[in-house]
Amino acid sequence: MANRHLQRSIAMQTLFEWDFKGQHNDQSREILSRNMVEFAPGIEDTLFAEHLIEGTLREQKTIDALIVKCAPEWPLEQVTVMDRNILRLGIYELMFGKYDEVPPKVAINEAIELAKSFGSDASPRFVNGVLGTIYREMGEPMKDDVSENHKHSEEKKVKTAPKEVPEDEPVELKKVPTKKVVIKKLAKKVTTKKAVAKKKVATKK
């Protein structure tokens, strides 16, 4: 777990540098390799960090749209580069990650820890607010599954040796709406809030 936490931190720092230097996706692998050598020279298997970077960049358009919808008072370009990329990484793990490896609540907690370590004093609350909103809109999947429960569940899986699901066979999560549904619901909420605000202003006049 410590290995994964370290790789997640390095992935976040890689996204920070990628963003700061102009968001050139073709440079992301080079940045990650350099950061791994500098910050984790003893780690040979970097697949987890590579997966996080590739997945986050692949889903960036959807992820950025969610940040905008969940924090309408903060235009994306005004969110600090650090907070922006902690959120990108956190949303990727929350919405597109493998729940059998990183449960949703663990993904949120890890993002908050990154915010505490690398962000400002206000970062943890901001990150928690955005990710919490998305999590609730998803129907709070695996609500009671935290890291320790997840560990026991994994041990149980090994003992019972269940039939493996092929990687190309999708696993249905009935409680988790598709990303399009989540975005539409958030967009509707934002639109409704703006309409109420305009009505109040008109009434005062």
Side-chain angles (χ1 to χ4, degrees):
M1 291 300 176
N3 183 315
R4 186 170 292 177
H5 178 77
L6 177 58
Q7 290 200 47
R8 184 181 288 107
S9 298
I10 295 173
M12 186 280 299
Q13 293 175 70
T14 298
L15 287 173
F16 174 90
E17 186 173 343
W18 157 84
D19 194 348
F20 187 78
K21 291 184 175 181
Q23 300 189 5
H24 300 294
N25 289 10
D26 58 330
Q27 297 179 4
S28 62
R29 185 174 290 274
E30 178 186 344
I31 297 172
L32 176 61
S33 297
R34 174 163 37 79
N35 285 339
M36 290 300 300
V37 171
E38 181 175 354
F39 300 113
I43 296 180
E44 296 181 0
D45 184 357
T46 62
L47 287 178
F48 182 66
E50 292 172 10
H51 169 74
L52 291 178
I53 294 296
E54 292 171 2
T56 301
L57 296 184
R58 183 177 62 250
E59 303 295 344
Q60 183 194 351
K61 186 175 180 180
T62 298
I63 291 171
D64 285 358
L66 283 171
I67 296 174
V68 171
K69 294 295 186 286
C70 293
E73 70 280 12
W74 284 97
L76 190 61
E77 63 275 9
Q78 290 185 20
V79 177
T80 66
V81 180
M82 185 62 71
D83 288 356
R84 193 160 61 219
N85 288 288
I86 291 174
L87 281 174
R88 282 174 175 149
L89 195 59
I91 293 173
Y92 173 73
E93 286 202 272
L94 178 60
M95 290 197 66
F96 305 98
K98 297 180 180 179
Y99 287 176
D100 60 331
E101 295 181 1
V102 183
K105 293 188 75 172
V106 173
I108 294 174
N109 289 336
E110 285 292 331
I112 294 172
E113 287 303 312
L114 288 176
K116 290 178 180 178
S117 299
F118 298 97
S120 65
D121 292 340
S123 296
R125 184 175 180 180
F126 178 61
V127 169
N128 183 47
V130 174
L131 295 182
T133 297
I134 295 174
Y135 181 60
R136 287 189 293 275
E137 290 297 329
M138 293 172 67
E140 298 183 322
M142 301 176 71
K143 183 178 180 179
D144 299 321
D145 193 355
V146 293
S147 56
E148 192 62 29
N149 291 337
H150 174 65
K151 179 180 178 182
H152 294 320
S153 174
E154 286 303 291
E155 290 175 352
K156 185 177 180 181
K157 286 180 183 178
V158 173
K159 291 179 181 179
T160 56
K163 181 180 178 181
E164 293 185 1
V165 178
E167 292 184 0
D168 57 346
E169 182 177 332
V171 179
E172 183 181 5
L173 294 174
K174 294 183 179 180
K175 292 185 178 180
V176 185
T178 63
K179 57 189 178 184
K180 290 184 179 179
V181 173
V182 174
I183 293 172
K184 286 181 180 179
K185 288 174 71 177
L186 292 173
K188 185 177 180 181
K189 281 191 174 184
V190 173
T191 303
T192 302
K193 288 181 180 179
K194 289 182 178 179
V196 172
K198 289 182 179 178
K199 188 175 181 180
K200 287 183 178 180
V201 173
T203 302
K204 290 182 179 180
K205 291 183 178 179

